[in-house]
Amino acid sequence: MSFAELYHALSDTSSTSEKVRLLSEHFRTAAPADLAAAVYVLRGGKVERALSSKQLRELCAEVSGLPLWLIDESYQIVGDLAETIAKLVTGGESTESNSLARWTEMLQPLRQLPLDERKREVAQAWRQMLEHERLVFNKLLTGGLRIGVSRGLVNKALAAAVGVEESLIAQRLLSNRDPATMSLERLREPLHSESDLSPYPFCLAHPIEGGPAALGSPEEWLAEWKWDGIRAQIVKRAGAVAIWSRGEELVSESFPELVELARCLPDGTVLDGEIVALRGGEAADFALLQQRLNRKRLSAALLASIPVGFIAYDILECASADQREAPLGERRQRLQEIVCKLSAANRALRLSEAVPFSSWQHLDELRQAARERGAEGVMIKALGSPYGVGRKRGAWWKWKANPLTVDGVLVYAQRGHGRRAGLYSDYTFAVWRDGDLVPFAKAYSGLTDAEIREVDAFVKRHTREKFGSVRTVEPRLVFEIAFEGIQPSRRHKAGVAVRFPRILRWRRDKPAEEADSVVSLLALASSVRASGREQT
Amino acid sequence: MTREPLLTVSPAGLYCPKAGVYLDPWQPVERALITHAHSDHARPGSKSYLCHHTTVPLLHARLGTSSGQVQGVQYGEETAINGVRFSFFPAGHVPGSAQILAESDGERWVFSGDYKTEDDGVSVPFEAVRCDVFISECTFGLPVFAWRPQTEVFAELHDWWKRNQSQGANSVVSAYALGKAQRLLGHIDRAGGRVLVHSAVWAMCEALGFDMSGLERASAETRAEGALVVVPPAVLGGSWLNRLAPYSLAALSGWMAIRGMRRRRGIEKGFVLSDHADFKGLTSAIRATGASRVLLTHGYTAPFAKWLTEQGVDASELGTSYGTDDGEEQ
Ligand SMILES: [Zn+2]
Ligand SMILES: [Zn+2]
């Protein structure tokens, strides 16, 4: 089965076991170069984008002989550019060269070429493919497969293909991300040579639904603040340092102050924790860290104005020994010793303090006030548990503070993509200011399919104006919008920027006139801020 | 001097003022000429109906008309009404489907109803009729719709059936009871395993006098393993299919060409097979009529009219109520 066929077979099935079967079968039979490329792209690896969406549409018009507006009309209906182009460029003939490794080889250096040549290469490639191949090629070209295959699933299939433990595969892949050097043989090699700087697979927490009462006695649990930063591991072995994010990226270069700090750790140490931006020496919310991440160049001024810190909450390797089987209580002790030694000299490293609580009720109150400390909520971890791999249930729970919410009015709707192609499923919501509606948030998720269809029908019947794929609709529908953060912002019309907005529910009971106003938004923003740390 | 148009859209439907008759009206009228028996074209309540003779029993079955109410004609046969001559030509859409030619004072208008240009093996194939004005459907009037030959599609469907069989699962195919179902039953290998037919599809086949040898009528109590089961789309989501588990579900429709549409409907397997013409089919059929004016109904009328205009064809949209529930399960 070629990679293109694998892609279609994977997207045709909803059965997880069938997906794993297809993947491991492919891994077993693919040529080494194709295997490496497949693992790379299936785990979310990207090919640098050689042509913008506009350039691709123009090239499609050129190659197909169809007018650009008709390409765009078609795209509106299909809802996926890769698929649209795959269909509109016709008459291709498949050749031997349509292997995934060839494609990634061809695409990777494409960006270096002048535009004309890039276009010529892509057009030529299109003509040498059949529709189902062209679609997958275009997916790579437009930035990723998005196929509903998680990394965990790829690991599972690889483990089955190679015949080793899943956790070993996960660990191998973390440090071995260069597609050129990936092979089944390397995946079989033993772990952690001295100079190897690979991290361990991260233990992930589950949201605790319905509260922690079912967890039993509070004494068996450790509570910590849930920090709002980047999950990371600091690895120090044989004098060298690496910092890995949970996204399995090597991020050492972005955080020179943490590299500096890690150099002081004893050899054979791996810490798990959170990278946070510091404001006045205290952890701030993600918005501040984002500002630093947005900059390409790390100037001395930036490092001074937005310093970062590492809040350590676990130790996975100590004196070159794997600690993951030790119970959390023991690991905390070891962690405390190491961190305390260092944090006296370097304030960038700190221990994630235990949050003392007497009862679940008490912890609930603390959780509700988490935002005042720049935290998102609390973490609850079983003191007797080993360090798990991935999303194993039961040992780590996250309990977020209730989201901030306002009631907004639907004012714009846009056609969705993918599963929601052709349906008006992307919405902009507004709140009142002096009798006008001011947009403040865009949200895509939170409604059921049936509700989306209902809103879609409403949008079509109550359109005021159309601009391309966007429609202005009569302001009648009210939705409760939840978000994780809110900040005053001069760049936003409503005077605030909200983070991670999502639709909580459809307020069918509320007429538009009773939706919230800018005043209530601003009040929310200042309540979060006033109770937070001092501003600089 | 401007002539009154031979056909025009009125509140009750497509109307011929000179003859005083309607074509596929969406409201009850005195006299209706019907292109085919799909529910967006043949609606109940009119006094009398004129259609191709294959369609006559279908109207009785679907609209509950009596035999005195419906008159059948052959393809090519002329019927004069108030000086306007009407004749029916094959549309290749479903059994009995027709295009209607209206001729008066040397002017020829053709209403296509629904049509496709590929010979489906169960309907009389489409025939282009020379005319001055062509009222054409364009359900799939975008270039992303390009059909593969049906032999390839049915070969794929067979492989799928065999694969399910080998896993002990039934293969359920949702297909519109009139047209798609017969096309499927006409092409599959009936010796390849048990072939079960839902009673709604069965009734339509019987009304058509379709060859039913080797087929079994299925009820909600039927149990089977490895069978091919042909059901109308309305059955999906209900409990009818429960006893046939485990099964794999597929749909046969032109919409299956688009992955998003397939996923939205929760259909595992989509076979792209339509009883409407694809973009190329529409364009070539329109050219073959030699019409100097083209009016468009069904589907992507606005972009398709713009496209034809850029190709030098005088084309515009015609507002109608067709295209809902038109045999493509939209
Ligand atoms: Zn129709
Ligand atoms: Zn029809």
Side-chain angles (χ1 to χ4, degrees), chain A residues 273-524:
Chain A
E274 196 95 359
I275 299 173
V276 293
L278 300 175
R279 183 187 281 138
E282 301 293 340
D285 68 12
F286 192 77
L288 188 62
L289 187 58
Q290 187 66 52
Q291 284 178 33
R292 170 154 160 180
L293 296 173
N294 286 344
R295 309 285 182 80
K296 264 246 149 75
R297 228 176 49 81
L298 286 175
S299 62
L302 183 65
L303 290 177
S305 67
I306 311 180
V308 298
F310 186 79
I311 304 179
Y313 36 67
D314 217 321
I315 186 160
L316 311 185
E317 190 175 311
C318 183
S320 299
D322 189 340
Q323 300 295 310
R324 293 176 299 163
E325 286 303 316
L328 174 61
E330 271 178 41
R331 298 202 306 274
R332 287 276 304 184
Q333 223 135 49
R334 258 159 240 160
L335 176 69
Q336 213 158 341
E337 282 165 29
I338 290 197
V339 171
C340 291
K341 243 180 254 168
L342 244 80
S343 59
N346 193 329
R347 289 281 297 143
L349 178 67
R350 47 197 73 190
L351 185 71
S352 169
E353 48 181 300
V355 178
F357 66 105
S358 51
S359 65
W360 295 123
Q361 170 64 34
H362 181 203
L363 186 61
D364 192 11
E365 286 159 21
L366 292 165
R367 164 184 78 107
Q368 295 297 0
R371 277 207 187 80
E372 296 169 15
R373 329 180 139 257
E376 288 183 294
V378 293
M379 299 291 303
I380 308 171
K381 299 174 181 173
L383 280 164
S385 68
Y387 188 90
V389 171
R391 263 183 220 286
K392 228 180 215 139
R393 265 191 121 74
W396 284 27
W397 300 98
K398 53 186 173 192
W399 198 15
K400 283 197 178 185
N402 289 337
L404 306 156
T405 68
V406 295
D407 292 333
V409 183
L410 173 67
V411 287
Y412 307 123
Q414 190 170 4
R415 281 212 186 99
H417 289 255
R419 217 166 69 79
R420 291 164 173 184
L423 282 176
Y424 285 92
S425 62
D426 301 359
Y427 314 117
T428 302
F429 300 95
V431 287
W432 294 102
R433 177 166 60 202
D434 305 329
D436 288 329
L437 281 165
V438 192
F440 77 99
K442 267 189 165 185
Y444 315 91
S445 59
L447 294 182
T448 65
D449 284 357
E451 285 173 325
I452 291 173
R453 279 195 296 276
E454 206 179 325
V455 176
D456 175 74
F458 171 87
V459 169
K460 285 172 182 156
R461 277 200 316 275
H462 301 279
T463 297
R464 280 191 168 166
E465 289 166 285
K466 302 181 193 176
F467 317 91
S469 65
V470 180
R471 294 187 178 200
T472 322
V473 298
E474 290 171 27
R476 287 207 211 164
L477 306 188
V478 178
F479 296 84
E480 186 174 354
I481 311 301
F483 37 89
E484 300 295 336
I486 183 165
Q487 280 214 319
S489 160
R490 245 167 282 151
R491 285 186 303 120
H492 291 77
K493 265 193 194 160
V496 293
V498 297
R499 204 153 70 81
F500 298 139
R502 64 182 195 279
I503 304 167
L504 208 57
R505 61 194 168 118
W506 188 343
R507 295 294 309 257
R508 293 176 194 265
D509 54 319
K510 260 203 179 180
E513 301 76 52
E514 290 175 24
D516 279 312
S517 67
V518 165
V519 177
S520 38
L521 267 183
L522 291 170
L524 267 183

Side-chain angles (χ1 to χ4, degrees), chain B residues 183-321:
Chain B
R183 195 174 174 190
L184 169 64
L185 293 170
H187 280 90
I188 46 132
D189 172 16
R190 297 183 187 184
R194 282 175 79 185
V195 181
L196 307 179
V197 178
H198 183 274
S199 56
V201 175
W202 190 274
M204 205 38 62
C205 290
E206 274 191 331
L208 281 167
F210 189 73
D211 169 22
M212 307 293 281
S213 56
L215 308 179
E216 282 176 65
R217 183 176 180 151
S219 73
E221 274 67 54
T222 308
R223 284 162 188 276
E225 202 184 290
L228 185 78
V229 190
V230 183
V231 301
V235 164
L236 308 186
S239 61
W240 196 89
L241 288 170
N242 289 359
R243 300 227 174 189
L244 293 168
Y247 60 81
S248 177
L249 179 63
L252 278 181
S253 165
W255 299 112
M256 294 297 120
I258 293 178
R259 285 152 35 99
M261 304 241 188
R262 204 166 75 211
R263 257 170 289 163
R264 200 157 68 225
R265 258 174 264 176
I267 302 257
E268 270 162 70
K269 189 77 196 160
F271 294 103
V272 185
L273 190 83
S274 178
D275 283 331
H276 293 266
D278 64 3
F279 184 76
K280 280 212 173 104
L282 289 169
T283 310
S284 70
I286 286 167
R287 291 217 172 281
T289 62
S292 57
R293 249 181 87 204
V294 176
L295 303 173
L296 299 168
T297 70
H298 289 73
Y300 305 107
T301 48
F304 193 58
K306 184 173 173 185
W307 158 257
L308 287 175
T309 307
E310 286 185 3
Q311 304 305 301
V313 179
D314 175 3
S316 47
E317 292 178 74
L318 189 69
T320 65
S321 295

Side-chain angles (χ1 to χ4, degrees), chain A residues 7-8 11-12 66-67 69-70 73-74 77-78 80 83-84 87-88 90 135 139 418-423, chain B residues 141-146 255 257-264 268-269 279-280 300 302-304 306-307 310:
Chain A
Y7 175 92
H8 288 275
S11 57
D12 272 354
L66 294 167
W69 68 263
L70 191 53
E73 263 325 312
S74 301
I77 297 308
V78 176
D80 179 313
E83 187 178 347
T84 307
K87 288 181 173 303
L88 294 181
T90 53
L135 184 137
K139 286 271 170 197
R419 217 166 69 79
R420 291 164 173 184
L423 282 176
Chain B
L142 283 175
V144 285
F145 297 107
W255 299 112
I258 293 178
R259 285 152 35 99
M261 304 241 188
R262 204 166 75 211
R263 257 170 289 163
R264 200 157 68 225
E268 270 162 70
K269 189 77 196 160
F279 184 76
K280 280 212 173 104
Y300 305 107
F304 193 58
K306 184 173 173 185
W307 158 257
E310 286 185 3

Side-chain angles (χ1 to χ4, degrees), chain A residues 211-231:
Chain A
L215 297 182
S217 166
E219 284 93 76
E220 287 161 28
W221 298 86
L222 167 76
E224 296 171 273
W225 296 114
K226 184 181 185 316
W227 301 106
D228 194 9
I230 296 176
R231 179 81 182 275

Side-chain angles (χ1 to χ4, degrees), chain B residues 36 38 40-41 93 113-114 137 139 276 298 322-327:
Chain B
H36 66 291
H38 276 156
D40 60 325
H41 294 260
H93 174 54
D114 293 340
E137 66 127 323
T139 307
H276 293 266
H298 289 73
Y322 306 127
T324 47
D325 192 19
D326 64 345

Side-chain angles (χ1 to χ4, degrees), chain A residues 111-157:
Chain A
R111 248 180 101 97
Q112 268 58 265
L113 302 178
L115 182 61
D116 283 12
E117 274 174 58
R118 268 182 271 161
K119 284 185 157 182
R120 197 162 48 234
E121 290 263 330
V122 169
Q124 165 132 4
W126 280 346
R127 289 196 198 93
Q128 291 174 350
M129 290 172 198
L130 297 175
E131 183 184 319
H132 75 282
E133 295 168 326
R134 209 152 37 225
L135 184 137
V136 180
F137 176 82
N138 289 346
K139 286 271 170 197
L140 294 171
L141 196 57
T142 53
L145 296 177
R146 287 186 300 267
I147 197 185
V149 171
S150 66
R151 287 178 177 180
L153 224 57
V154 175
N155 293 355
K156 195 172 209 163

Side-chain angles (χ1 to χ4, degrees), chain B residues 96-113:
Chain B
S97 67
Q99 312 172 68
I100 300 177
L101 165 68
E103 241 183 320
S104 171
D105 297 333
E107 205 184 7
R108 292 159 66 88
W109 288 53
V110 169
F111 172 47
S112 77

